[in-house]
């Protein structure tokens, strides 16, 4: 990422700080989030030492970095002891683990580089969980009925605009939940892991947002659903959709 960061710094005439956070599986969740929060707070407090106006700091990340960006922006939303973030840039972020059968997951399940199964595998490795539970998670058996009801107001194919469903999408069957699987995997519902599942009071406080989605990406609908939630709370969203884009296109 160093060349990418240098390019961004040069082209945008900005100071770019890249956080070298610890990686899973050696350092499982939430070490990465803690590193990013710590680095962000430190930079906000010392921005002027780097010639930066602390009121103009923007967080940015792609893929799992987009997850971390969204989670850090939520964590700092109500903090009064640090300057407010100016904006967040989410580039094809992973944002939820409730439904791996949204239209984009179905349509792009075999599109490189982020296959549907690989997405779940990476999530399980991040949480230090056994990969044997993968088939059941793909079916949604890890979501108990009460949470399914709670989350369906935020995570549902009903909120995906019709034009994104024209490419071979079929509503998937609902499978019975497993209490045992929920108990084993429930940390994935933490908004730090799944920022789309944060409460309304938190989402309503996040900064102005730039959001990039790609048509040929399993994570496309995560971005579309978060866009809707942000806009429902009056957050200004600049949305860019790459019609020919795929995951990792940056």
């Amino acid at each position: 990422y160093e060349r990418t960061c240098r390019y961004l710094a040069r082209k945008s005439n900005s100071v770019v700080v890249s956080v070298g956070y610890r990686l899973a599986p050696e350092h499982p969740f939430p070490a990465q989030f803690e590193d990013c929060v710590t680095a962000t707070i430190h930079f906000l407090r010392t921005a002027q030492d780097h010639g930066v106006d602390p009121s103009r700091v923007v967080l940015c990340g792609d893929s799992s970095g987009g997850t971390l960006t969204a989670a850090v922006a939520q964590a700092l939303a109500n903090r009064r002891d640090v300057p407010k973030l100016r904006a967040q840039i989410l580039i094809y972020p992973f944002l939820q683990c409730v439904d791996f059968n949204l239209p984009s997951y179905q349509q792009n399940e075999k599109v490189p580089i982020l296959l549907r199964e690989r997405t779940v595998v990476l999530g399980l490795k991040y949480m230090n969980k056994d990969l044997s539970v993968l088939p059941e998670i793909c079916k949604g058996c890890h979501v108990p009925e009460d949470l399914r009801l709670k989350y369906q107001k935020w995570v549902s194919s009903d909120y995906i605009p019709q034009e994104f469903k024209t490419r071979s999408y079929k509503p998937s069957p609902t499978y019975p939940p497993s209490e045992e699987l929920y108990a084993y995997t429930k940390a994935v519902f933490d908004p730090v892991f799944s920022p789309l599942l944060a409460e309304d009071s938190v989402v309503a406080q996040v900064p102005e947002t730039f959001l990039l989605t790609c048509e040929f990406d399993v994570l496309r609908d995560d971005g579309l659903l978060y866009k809707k939630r942000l806009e429902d709370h009056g957050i200004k969203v600049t949305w860019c959709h790459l019609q020919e884009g795929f995951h990792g296109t940056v």
Side-chain angles (χ1 to χ4, degrees), residues 45-106:
R45 286 179 173 158
T46 60
Q48 285 167 323
D49 299 349
H50 303 279
V52 172
D53 177 347
S55 69
R56 297 183 66 193
V57 175
V58 177
L59 285 189
C60 174
D62 73 308
S63 195
S64 56
T67 316
L68 290 164
T69 297
V72 172
Q74 289 178 0
L76 298 184
N78 285 314
R79 293 277 293 251
R80 298 284 169 263
D81 57 332
V82 286
K84 273 204 164 319
L85 292 167
R86 171 65 186 84
Q88 61 175 346
I89 296 173
L90 308 176
I91 300 172
Y92 40 73
F94 170 92
L95 297 170
Q96 61 84 31
C97 62
V98 173
D99 191 347
F100 294 110
N101 291 289
L102 290 167
S104 63
Y105 269 106
Q106 286 189 25

Side-chain angles (χ1 to χ4, degrees), residues 138 140 171 184 224 246:
C138 286
Y184 182 62
L224 295 177
F246 54 90

Side-chain angles (χ1 to χ4, degrees), residues 16 29 37 41 45 50 61 68 76 87 92 94 109-110 115 166 175 189 191-192 202 204 206 213 217-219 235 245:
V16 173
F29 171 88
V37 167
I41 290 171
R45 286 179 173 158
H50 303 279
L68 290 164
L76 298 184
Y92 40 73
F94 170 92
E109 67 174 332
K110 296 198 165 29
L115 315 185
T166 53
Y175 295 91
F189 300 108
V192 168
V202 175
V206 301
T213 52
D217 179 8
V218 288
L219 303 183
I235 309 294

Side-chain angles (χ1 to χ4, degrees), residues 11-12 52 77 135 143 158 160 165 175 198 206 216 222 249:
K11 288 288 185 179
S12 62
V52 172
V143 190
D158 295 347
I160 302 299
K165 295 179 184 173
Y175 295 91
V206 301
F216 298 100
D222 284 25
T249 203

Side-chain angles (χ1 to χ4, degrees), residues 33-49:
F33 167 75
E34 288 163 357
D35 289 354
C36 289
V37 167
T38 303
T40 305
I41 290 171
H42 175 73
F43 186 74
L44 284 167
R45 286 179 173 158
T46 60
Q48 285 167 323
D49 299 349

Side-chain angles (χ1 to χ4, degrees), residues 6 11 22 50 75 83 90 116 198 200 228 244 250:
R6 286 176 180 275
K11 288 288 185 179
R22 290 168 292 169
H50 303 279
L90 308 176
R116 173 174 174 253
D200 286 337
K228 180 185 186 302
E244 303 293 319
V250 162

Side-chain angles (χ1 to χ4, degrees), residues 97-151:
C97 62
V98 173
D99 191 347
F100 294 110
N101 291 289
L102 290 167
S104 63
Y105 269 106
Q106 286 189 25
Q107 295 160 340
N108 303 309
E109 67 174 332
K110 296 198 165 29
V111 175
I113 54 173
L114 193 63
L115 315 185
R116 173 174 174 253
E117 195 171 279
R118 187 169 188 222
T119 308
V120 184
V121 166
L122 291 171
L124 289 168
K125 286 186 172 179
Y126 183 34
M127 295 303 246
N128 227 0
K129 302 294 181 189
D130 195 270
L131 299 185
S132 62
V133 300
L134 190 144
E136 299 303 297
I137 287 182
C138 286
K139 289 180 186 170
C141 301
H142 61 304
V143 190
E145 197 54 43
D146 58 330
L147 285 186
R148 198 170 281 172
L149 289 169
K150 175 182 177 178
Y151 294 144

